[in-house]
Amino acid sequence: MCGIVGYIGHREALPIVLEGLRNLEYRGYDSAGIAICDGARIRIRKRAGKVAQLAADIEGEEFPGTLGIGHTRWATHGEPTDINAHPHTDASGRIVLIHNGIIENYAVLKTRLERKGYSFRSETDTEVLAVFIGMLYERLGDFELAVRTALQEVEGTFGLAILSKDDPDCLIAARRGSPIVLGIGDSEYIVASDASAIVAHTRRVVYLRDDELAILRRDGYVTKTIGDEFIAPEIHELDFELEQIQRGNFPHFMLKEIFEQPVTFRDSIRGRLLVEQGNAKLGGLTTVADKLRVARRIILTGCGTSWHSALVGEYVIEQLARIPVEVEYASELRYRNPVIYPDDIVIGISQSGETIDTLAALREARLKGATILGIVNVVGSTIARETDAGVYLHAGPEIGVASTKAFTSQLAVLALLGLYLGRQRDLSASEGQHLAKELNTIPEHITTILDSAPTIEYIAHQYAHCTNALYLGRGVNYPVALEGALKLKEISYVHAEGYPAAEMKHGPIALIDENMPVVFIATCDDIYDKVISNIQEVRARRGRIIAIATEGDQRVAELADHVIFVPPTHSLLTPILTTIPLQLLAYYIAVARGCDVDKPRNLAKSVTVE
């Protein structure tokens, strides 16, 4: 959500800032802007629309300077207009800043400033912060002190990059709740909200923690708290390559990432799945192994797609380990004073590791004495740093806003966790070996499903005109129905709902007619006959049926209008396979409808504001 790029060094800043903004476009945004300082003045250009439009606007103009900042905004306070776009300045135009997050007490600050005679051009909370810092700078005469003083009074979340015309050898970055990473180069530094804007220039990075700031100068940098306590920076090495955030020969990142899943799934289980022992080894959980062994209950929490993976995890862990599992929306858990005990394990699931609601839910659980764990994809992310232990997905950077490979990698890790916990309890060695062997074959099964992409594309074209769809599944595949519906909504803007198939009779059946496509997840398992009955109910009402079925199932083929087959596997692992055709179905429908698949409207990749 929103993108920040800042540069200070010996090279021209504009090309580096624009390149960084392009690499952050996947995060979702509706306006863009840059500010470049040449030592004498700061030139600003911003506009509603895409980075490409901004670049076209300034093409041919001179923007000299080796200090600059750039921003892509996802609107919160105020519509996506040129005026509301970042950067924003103080009243004098000397201080310029860009901001991710929300200043919750901006109205109080704004009233205070207006009483002192200050006026505002935009509707944003960000301009209020800029003017506030400017007022303090006029009074204190010290750029850094003005920033630190202001941030001690600010309530809410922020990731900031700030520069001053009076100090052209200084770039200040700060964070609270919204990620900021520093790229450490040779007499040059890059500030960004995401390492994808940095990896082309350096692999050495420092992740700021909450209420920390960095003062960057061409001859060095320091990190300190907002309260002015110096901190020894910890330098990390980025673990991905530039090529991983490029599309290659694929038309969209989403399609590339769908087709990467045989590899990313294998990466998620590599070195962790012990096939011969029928067990799993999760090194990231070693320090909490004793607590996991005696856990009274596990609570899984997340948002969106991560919440759907948690629902699958509930089925898997309860069946394999016989531990009670609850699944909570993180946005609800943090506010409802949940009953959490010290022997509970609370696991936050987040691709980015920065999801604000999930992070807040984990912090609430910690206050109540629980052990908190993380399942995240991004190394060095806030959830990874703040939890007691956890497991990385190793799915690589996911650029498409609609999650695909991260979801299947989450399912991989949850299956490993269920196996690990189950073998500590009642799961026999033979049952563990059977599950482990099936889990080890999943990458080959995913490849088989991807080979059917042309068939799925054909089916998608038959339904691209529809404005509603229903997704139905039972048991462990009910969450897949929810995820399939979410994918269709996210990228094609088709209204879709996921339901437990048995619940269809309790309301949704009223919607079914010859114009309503109904997607069934109907693999062969213990409740297969029940799903067949639900299919017949839809067929009797002339609904159009698309079925995801096990290879060789002619019974479903006779009832459905279209069938997409998946290879047979262990029943608890079927969600990993059944979700693949639904990803492709959503993708091809969105393309057929002319939608911007990688940058769906109103959505952001990493939701770092409430």
Side-chain angles (χ1 to χ4, degrees):
M1 176 174 294
C2 301
I4 281 176
V5 182
Y7 175 80
I8 183 168
H10 51 83
R11 293 185 284 168
E12 288 296 309
L14 180 62
I16 295 170
V17 170
L18 285 176
E19 175 195 45
L21 292 182
R22 292 187 186 101
N23 287 337
L24 293 176
E25 285 189 286
Y26 74 95
R27 295 172 65 90
Y29 71 103
D30 43 50
S31 59
I34 54 98
I36 305 296
C37 179
D38 64 4
R41 63 173 180 165
I42 299 173
R43 298 193 64 183
I44 297 173
R45 186 64 61 84
K46 58 183 184 174
R47 61 160 296 161
K50 299 300 184 182
V51 173
Q53 296 169 293
L54 174 68
D57 284 351
I58 62 179
E59 187 175 1
E61 293 188 42
E62 293 294 325
F63 276 77
T66 57
L67 169 64
I69 55 177
H71 190 264
T72 52
R73 175 179 185 252
W74 190 81
T76 53
H77 293 68
E79 296 180 2
T81 63
D82 292 355
I83 291 175
N84 288 333
H86 297 208
H88 288 283
T89 71
D90 75 324
S92 69
R94 290 180 295 180
I95 291 174
V96 183
L97 66 80
I98 52 180
H99 166 225
N100 291 352
I102 291 177
I103 307 302
E104 294 176 356
N105 63 335
Y106 85 99
V108 173
L109 294 173
K110 186 174 185 178
T111 299
R112 178 174 155 191
L113 291 163
E114 286 174 332
R115 287 174 178 168
K116 292 180 180 294
Y118 292 95
S119 60
F120 299 88
R121 295 179 291 274
S122 76
E123 304 168 85
T124 68
D125 55 336
T126 302
E127 186 188 7
V128 174
L129 177 59
V131 173
F132 184 43
I133 292 173
M135 181 195 74
L136 292 171
Y137 178 58
E138 290 174 3
R139 190 178 79 196
L140 300 170
D142 185 302
F143 178 35
E144 178 198 328
L145 180 58
V147 171
R148 287 193 291 102
T149 303
L151 296 185
Q152 289 177 60
E153 291 196 46
V154 162
E155 298 172 9
T157 59
F158 52 77
L160 296 166
I162 316 168
L163 52 84
S164 169
K165 184 175 69 173
D166 294 345
D167 193 351
D169 187 40
C170 181
L171 173 60
I172 295 179
R175 116 169 234 162
R176 179 191 296 157
S178 192
I180 289 291
V181 57
L182 314 176
I184 311 302
D186 183 14
S187 299
E188 62 178 359
Y189 304 95
I190 301 175
V191 172
S193 51
D194 187 306
S196 60
I198 292 174
V199 68
H201 302 283
T202 179
R203 304 184 66 82
R204 301 171 69 238
V205 297
V206 173
Y207 297 97
L208 290 188
R209 296 176 181 268
D210 279 355
D211 289 326
E212 290 182 357
L213 54 80
I215 299 93
L216 308 167
R217 297 185 180 276
R218 290 173 180 83
D219 61 356
Y221 72 101
V222 295
T223 54
K224 57 173 66 177
T225 67
I226 289 170
D228 203 26
E229 296 179 6
F230 285 92
I231 300 164
E234 182 181 356
I235 297 179
H236 301 261
E237 291 285 329
L238 293 177
D239 65 346
F240 65 92
E241 303 295 334
L242 179 63
E243 291 75 17
Q244 290 180 271
I245 60 171
Q246 296 174 334
R247 282 204 317 261
N249 294 323
F250 288 89
H252 297 97
F253 279 110
M254 183 178 179
L255 188 63
K256 173 177 179 278
E257 289 158 3
I258 290 172
F259 273 83
E260 285 177 343
Q261 288 174 110
V263 174
T264 56
F265 191 92
R266 178 67 70 192
D267 289 343
S268 295
I269 64 174
R270 179 179 288 114
R272 296 166 167 176
L273 182 63
L274 309 176
V275 177
E276 296 306 317
Q277 294 96 315
N279 206 339
K281 178 182 179 181
L282 297 171
L285 302 182
T286 302
T287 58
V288 295
D290 292 341
K291 292 182 178 181
L292 283 167
R293 191 172 291 109
V294 298
R296 167 178 178 164
R297 177 179 59 161
I298 292 174
I299 299 172
L300 301 173
T301 188
C303 303
T305 287
S306 295
W307 185 74
H308 295 158
S309 71
L311 289 175
V312 175
E314 179 181 19
Y315 283 96
V316 171
I317 294 170
E318 284 194 343
Q319 185 164 325
L320 295 177
R322 311 307 298 163
I323 303 173
V325 178
E326 295 182 13
V327 177
E328 297 270 4
Y329 278 114
S331 56
E332 294 296 320
L333 178 65
R334 63 180 297 193
Y335 286 118
R336 67 174 187 81
N337 192 24
V339 178
I340 296 176
Y341 301 100
D343 51 359
D344 285 339
I345 304 291
V346 180
I347 305 176
I349 306 175
S350 167
Q351 188 282 135
S352 67
E354 302 290 351
T355 310
I356 192 67
D357 288 320
T358 306
L359 182 58
L362 291 171
R363 289 169 174 167
E364 178 69 17
R366 184 190 289 283
L367 285 174
K368 295 182 180 298
T371 299
I372 61 170
L373 310 180
I375 297 176
V376 302
N377 192 36
V378 179
V379 175
S381 58
T382 304
I383 290 177
R385 295 198 309 268
E386 291 198 11
T387 46
D388 297 311
V391 184
Y392 284 118
L393 301 181
H394 297 312
E398 186 175 66
I399 305 302
V401 169
S403 181
T404 52
K405 65 178 183 177
F407 178 64
T408 51
S409 289
Q410 286 169 353
L411 298 187
V413 168
L414 289 165
L416 291 170
L417 180 60
L419 181 60
Y420 171 76
L421 295 173
R423 292 294 288 122
Q424 290 181 344
R425 289 169 172 76
D426 298 329
L427 189 69
S428 69
S430 61
E431 291 173 317
Q433 287 169 347
H434 173 60
L435 181 70
K437 288 177 182 176
E438 291 294 324
L439 193 56
N440 200 40
T441 63
I442 291 294
E444 288 73 28
H445 292 334
I446 295 175
T447 299
T448 299
I449 298 168
L450 294 173
D451 288 341
S452 65
T455 299
I456 298 171
E457 183 176 13
Y458 170 80
I459 295 170
H461 278 272
Q462 311 308 304
Y463 297 95
H465 66 283
C466 295
T467 55
N468 297 281
L470 194 61
Y471 286 68
L472 302 174
R474 298 189 76 150
V476 73
N477 275 298
Y478 157 55
V480 176
L482 294 174
E483 175 63 12
L486 177 62
K487 283 294 156 284
L488 190 66
K489 283 184 281 194
E490 284 181 314
I491 62 171
S492 72
Y493 319 137
V494 172
H495 174 251
E497 297 296 334
Y499 274 90
E503 288 296 305
M504 176 186 62
K505 299 186 294 295
H506 300 282
I509 198 168
L511 299 172
I512 295 172
D513 60 19
E514 65 275 11
N515 298 313
M516 170 69 82
V518 182
V519 180
F520 276 96
I521 298 98
T523 51
C524 294
D525 53 27
D526 293 341
I527 51 177
Y528 171 77
D529 288 335
K530 301 297 183 183
V531 178
I532 291 296
S533 296
N534 298 138
I535 291 175
Q536 290 172 327
E537 290 167 341
V538 171
R539 184 180 174 87
R541 288 156 181 82
R542 302 175 66 188
R544 303 292 302 281
I545 298 167
I546 304 169
I548 312 300
T550 305
E551 284 178 355
D553 186 350
Q554 291 305 308
R555 189 176 177 191
V556 168
E558 292 171 1
L559 294 172
D561 295 280
H562 306 279
V563 181
I564 304 168
F565 289 110
V566 298
T569 190
H570 191 291
S571 61
L572 290 177
L573 304 180
T574 54
I576 302 164
L577 302 184
T578 55
T579 196
I580 306 294
L582 300 186
Q583 293 171 352
L584 287 168
L585 187 67
Y587 170 80
Y588 287 122
I589 287 176
V591 171
R593 291 170 64 89
C595 299
D596 189 344
V597 174
D598 286 334
K599 306 182 192 73
R601 67 188 183 204
N602 303 329
L603 294 181
K605 183 63 179 172
S606 177
V607 182
T608 56
V609 297
E610 290 190 63

